Amino acid sequence: MAEHRSYDDRIPADTSPEGLPVWATAQATGPVQRKGRYVPESVRHPARMLPAIAAHAVEHYTQPGDLILDPMCGIGTTLVEAIHAGRDAVGVEYESRWSDVADANVKHAHAQGATGRGAVIRGDSTGILSLVPVALAGQVALVVTSPPYGPTVHGLVRPGKDGVAKSDNAYNDGTDKGNLAYRDLTGLADGFAQILAGCATLLKPGGVVVVTARPWRKAGQLVDLPSAVIGAGLRAGLTPVDRCVALLAAVRDGALVARPSFFQLQAVRKARATGTPMHLIAHEDVLVFANGHPAISGGDVVA
């Protein structure tokens, strides 16, 4: 299985000057991390979690045989990394296209020798307690998920004679506004609080919720999604216990090597040309909650 763990080029986790634990989760690019491990259709999802982020959370916060949940599982990244690590996993996905891909990825993982059990449920996770089996209440050791970053994201790009063509840059065709991505920040946070409240019921004593989030820009203004996620967690009755940094840039010789998309690089160059000191995104915030008060830290393991 080593050939599928190319992202496992590990270096010790470090701590930033501000005291935030740092996860070195982008030593290899996203495509390299997924190559051979995920079905080809996976690349078309507009907002994929880095497999190394999910794998780090799974390995650090759980033990083999534990149950892991992703209430917004997309292509099933959390599930794939969990079952490869000998854990069981359940995912909920709103859009049928991606729930089908998540199913395919779980089957692909089993074909590669993954020993954990995985299941994907199609539905709206704001009502997650009506979707998952009642027997799972109080059984989940870890929730790993990420809220959407607005209705459109960078997607895929292809150069052509008329410029750069963009594709797969939206969660759906825009006709179904049920996806949380189509709500404003307040609506997104409220919906996410509903999801987290359901997850709190499913968590076992001492269970942990890990949410990755980063700000995005709307009409040039920064939208503070991480703070909104913290508020949603508090309203759901969860206790914030840690905040970490998951790198989206590689660490090479003590320096960060950014891995920006075409559009991120373009936006930063345009902003700097007008005098705005914008920087490339180099990390995601990792917000850790618990339904109790365990001593939890994300910074004492390798990434």
Side-chain angles (χ1 to χ4, degrees), residues 2-38:
E3 67 271 20
H4 301 299
R5 299 287 296 213
S6 53
Y7 62 77
D8 212 11
D9 177 13
R10 300 186 172 197
I11 65 171
D14 202 353
T15 303
S16 69
E18 294 77 19
L20 297 179
V22 176
W23 300 2
T25 44
Q27 294 300 90
T29 65
V32 169
Q33 292 186 27
R34 298 185 191 94
K35 186 177 181 181
R37 197 172 175 87
Y38 292 79

Side-chain angles (χ1 to χ4, degrees), residues 119-137:
V120 181
I121 300 170
R122 162 77 167 87
D124 182 352
S125 56
T126 58
I128 194 169
L129 295 181
S130 66
L131 297 175
V132 302
V134 175
L136 294 188

Side-chain angles (χ1 to χ4, degrees), residues 26-295:
Q27 294 300 90
T29 65
V32 169
Q33 292 186 27
R34 298 185 191 94
K35 186 177 181 181
R37 197 172 175 87
Y38 292 79
V39 299
E41 182 66 14
S42 300
V43 72
R44 298 192 175 279
H45 191 280
R48 303 172 301 281
M49 182 185 293
L50 278 179
I53 294 178
H56 181 105
V58 167
E59 292 177 9
H60 182 49
Y61 294 112
T62 67
Q63 299 295 324
D66 278 346
L67 178 62
I68 296 167
L69 168 70
D70 188 340
M72 307 179 78
C73 74
I75 62 170
T77 301
T78 298
L79 279 62
V80 169
E81 300 309 317
I83 64 177
H84 269 298
R87 281 70 163 171
D88 296 332
V90 175
V92 178
E93 172 53 36
Y94 181 80
E95 297 189 14
S96 58
R97 176 184 181 183
W98 305 124
S99 65
D100 289 346
V101 174
D103 264 328
N105 277 323
V106 168
K107 292 176 181 175
H108 184 59
H110 284 145
Q112 293 180 320
T115 58
R117 295 172 295 178
V120 181
I121 300 170
R122 162 77 167 87
D124 182 352
S125 56
T126 58
I128 194 169
L129 295 181
S130 66
L131 297 175
V132 302
V134 175
L136 294 188
Q139 302 300 311
V140 174
L142 173 67
V143 174
V144 181
T145 199
S146 181
Y149 304 119
T152 60
V153 289
H154 296 302
L156 303 178
V157 296
R158 186 184 72 255
K161 61 180 181 180
D162 298 320
V164 175
K166 182 188 291 190
S167 63
D168 296 296
N169 59 314
Y171 285 92
N172 54 44
D173 60 8
T175 60
D176 182 359
K177 303 301 183 183
N179 192 311
L180 290 188
Y182 290 93
R183 300 187 184 185
D184 61 15
L185 183 60
T186 300
L188 170 59
D190 288 345
F192 198 58
Q194 288 180 269
I195 294 171
L196 293 181
C199 291
T201 298
L202 297 171
L203 283 176
K204 69 180 186 180
V208 177
V209 176
V210 172
V211 182
T212 69
R214 65 175 181 261
W216 79 83
R217 291 188 180 275
K218 183 176 182 180
Q221 300 299 309
L222 203 63
V223 179
D224 189 1
L225 181 59
S227 292
V229 168
I230 293 173
L234 291 170
R235 293 197 300 278
L238 296 168
T239 302
V241 293
D242 208 355
R243 187 166 186 164
C244 309
V245 168
L247 291 181
L248 302 175
V251 179
R252 298 283 187 266
D253 299 322
L256 293 180
V257 179
R259 302 191 187 282
S261 71
F262 170 85
F263 290 101
Q264 287 171 337
L265 196 58
Q266 185 183 54
V268 169
R269 285 171 173 167
K270 287 182 177 179
R272 289 190 173 187
T274 62
T276 302
M278 188 182 293
H279 296 276
L280 292 170
I281 295 173
H283 77 277
E284 292 208 22
D285 285 28
V286 182
L287 308 168
V288 184
F289 303 87
N291 61 350
H293 300 277

